[in-house]
Amino acid sequence: MATMPSHGLRLRHLTTTTTTTRPFLRTLCSSLSTQASLPEDSAQVQVQQQPGKPNKSYFPKRGQTLELVCESLGFKGKGLCKVADTGFVVMCDRALPGERFIGRVTRKKDNYAEVTKVKTISPHWDFVDAPCEYASYCGGCKTQNLSYEAQLRAKEQQVRELVMHVGKFSCEELESLNIMKPIVPCDIQFHYRNKMEFSFGTQEWLPKELLLEKQDGSESYALGLHAPGFFDKVLNVNKCLLQSEPANMVLAAIQDCWRDPQLGISAYNVHSHAGFLKHLMLRTGRDVKTGLPELMVNFVTSSYKPELLKPLVEKISSIPEVVSVMNNVNSSIGNTSVGEEEYTLYGKSTITEMLRGLTFQISANSFFQTNTHQAEVLYKLIEECVGLRGDGSEIVLDLFCGTGTIGLTLARKARQVYGYEVVTQAIADACLNAKLNNIYNATFVQGDLNKIDESFGNNFPKPDVVISDPNRPGMHMKLIKFLLKLKAPRIVYVSCNPATCARDLDYLCHGVIDKNLEGCYKLKSLQAVDMFPHTPHIECVCLLELC
């Protein structure tokens, strides 16, 4: 397995006993084990009666205030708390482990409640000052004021508990067989994102404590990130500490002039569907020859009016790193950043990035690993788990291949790589990237892996190793059934959602009783990788071998 990068932190290895219980996770286990995929907002919690406690349940009322202590981080990074004496589970956004606070109940389900933090009584453990001025309001970096070491501990603990309670792997099994590896930290904790998407809005959102600073009640245009919980309100952002410095220079330059009435530019209104500017997407790559950063700026607009964008293009093209300015036109009422038409307003239509010795062309709408630095670490770990002999004799099946980045980094050691992906543009990019790197033993096929039938697998030889990198809902039961029938010697499961990952590991290793499917794999290793510091997102790499 890959060694941990040097990061200057002494991580405490987490230990979990079989008596450790998490009611939230036990119910999540039950719900996941009976579904082929899990919507992100459908996780449920359940209170287990504690020994010696009276058999009663406590249902707090909406609007009621409670004094709570956050025990750990859970679903979407929310703090998990319990009501004193009853054990009733309460979830609070932006509550961190050890924090004692007053919370007001905003939403109540049958067996858990959600609260909003009203006042902190005593701060959480491992408190640090967040360097970003928007950290308290923006929905992106919820744990900036939690020390990075503590963030890693919380993520590793969450993965371990999900693997135990959802995946049904015992603590003894994980420890004695050395299955759970320590989480891999990210050496770069800021300015690591190579892609950021900002929204234009007709209504600037301000937190309550800043509303008094606004002198009048008029609405003002905003360019930034959506306020948490709102699709129509935008938090104005002048600088984001997650993106590159050249990208912040572009953002500042656009913020400086786009509201000028003389330009005649309007922000898109998601209610009336009037207005011009929808999104600003900034992508950072590297020049292959010099290694210097190169930047793509993509304006997403409701119509094609290049004359309106000309002043902005002229201003940002003076920034040396800007080599591409694109315009995606999305005339539908939908507010996505992918347009029906695409135009090059300045420079070239793609930028390049290097990963594991390969060069990749990145277009405005290409999928590419968002953290290039940590992707190097992730892909090295995947390559070691795949374990190709290097004699060019083995077949690799790359499921959910995206633009082919994983499969292409393995192709030179394999006989043939077969990649499958539902997104047509991603397949086109994968083929282009294969040609760009003179790789001719990789075949990429467009297809929906959630809708495979009995004929799937007939058009490629039996693979020696399967790589599966699904999106957050995990693998569909049809694909689980196919893999259990295929019986490839090794499966490397790459996951961006440890909950559905744990569920799928349970299916592959222990079977699915109600589907009359027997598991036929052993979990050999599982390692969490922190791809996105200060966020609740966790990546996992799992190695399974045929029994």
Side-chain angles (χ1 to χ4, degrees), residues 44 84 90 99 105-106 114-115 124 128 163 172 176 194 202 209 230 261 269 279 315 367 389 454 461 466-467 502:
Q44 297 292 310
V90 174
E99 181 177 7
V105 179
T106 56
E114 293 184 1
V115 302
H124 56 80
V128 295
V163 171
E172 292 81 5
S176 64
N194 57 40
T202 56
E209 54 267 38
F230 294 96
N269 188 313
H279 302 287
K315 188 175 182 68
F367 170 81
R389 293 188 293 269
E454 295 295 330
V466 174
I467 301 168

Side-chain angles (χ1 to χ4, degrees), residues 198-342:
F198 301 97
S199 295
F200 293 91
T202 56
Q203 185 175 2
E204 179 184 0
W205 180 85
L206 289 172
K208 291 181 180 179
E209 54 267 38
L210 298 182
L211 284 176
L212 295 177
E213 298 180 8
K214 195 170 183 180
Q215 297 300 315
D216 55 57
S218 62
E219 295 183 356
S220 58
Y221 284 172
L223 169 58
L225 301 169
H226 283 284
F230 294 96
F231 75 97
D232 57 347
K233 297 179 182 179
V234 175
L235 171 68
N236 200 66
V237 173
N238 295 311
K239 182 178 182 179
C240 178
L241 295 185
L242 295 191
Q243 68 178 355
S244 68
E245 286 296 351
N248 275 322
M249 291 174 61
V250 171
L251 177 61
I254 294 174
Q255 288 279 35
D256 186 54
C257 66
W258 78 277
R259 297 177 185 83
D260 186 344
Q262 294 184 0
L263 298 182
I265 300 176
S266 59
Y268 184 76
N269 188 313
V270 294
H271 296 289
S272 66
H273 309 300
F276 181 61
L277 287 172
K278 287 188 171 184
H279 302 287
L280 172 68
M281 183 189 295
L282 305 176
R283 304 194 75 148
T284 306
R286 282 183 291 176
D287 183 278
V288 176
K289 295 180 180 178
T290 65
L292 296 174
E294 55 180 22
L295 196 71
M296 172 186 284
V297 182
N298 179 25
F299 292 100
V300 181
T301 60
S302 60
S303 59
Y304 181 56
K305 295 178 180 178
E307 67 279 4
L308 290 180
L309 294 174
K310 186 177 179 180
L312 300 181
V313 174
E314 290 177 348
K315 188 175 182 68
I316 61 178
S317 60
S318 64
I319 298 173
E321 291 84 357
V322 175
V323 299
S324 171
V325 181
M326 306 298 296
N327 179 200
N328 266 245
V329 178
N330 176 14
S331 60
S332 68
I333 62 174
N335 208 20
T336 65
S337 59
V338 179
E340 307 103 16
E341 300 172 352
E342 183 174 284

Side-chain angles (χ1 to χ4, degrees), residues 35-53:
Q35 300 177 46
S37 62
L38 177 72
E40 291 183 24
D41 60 353
S42 65
Q44 297 292 310
V45 292
Q46 180 177 338
V47 178
Q48 182 180 21
Q49 185 65 39
Q50 299 177 2
K53 297 288 183 180

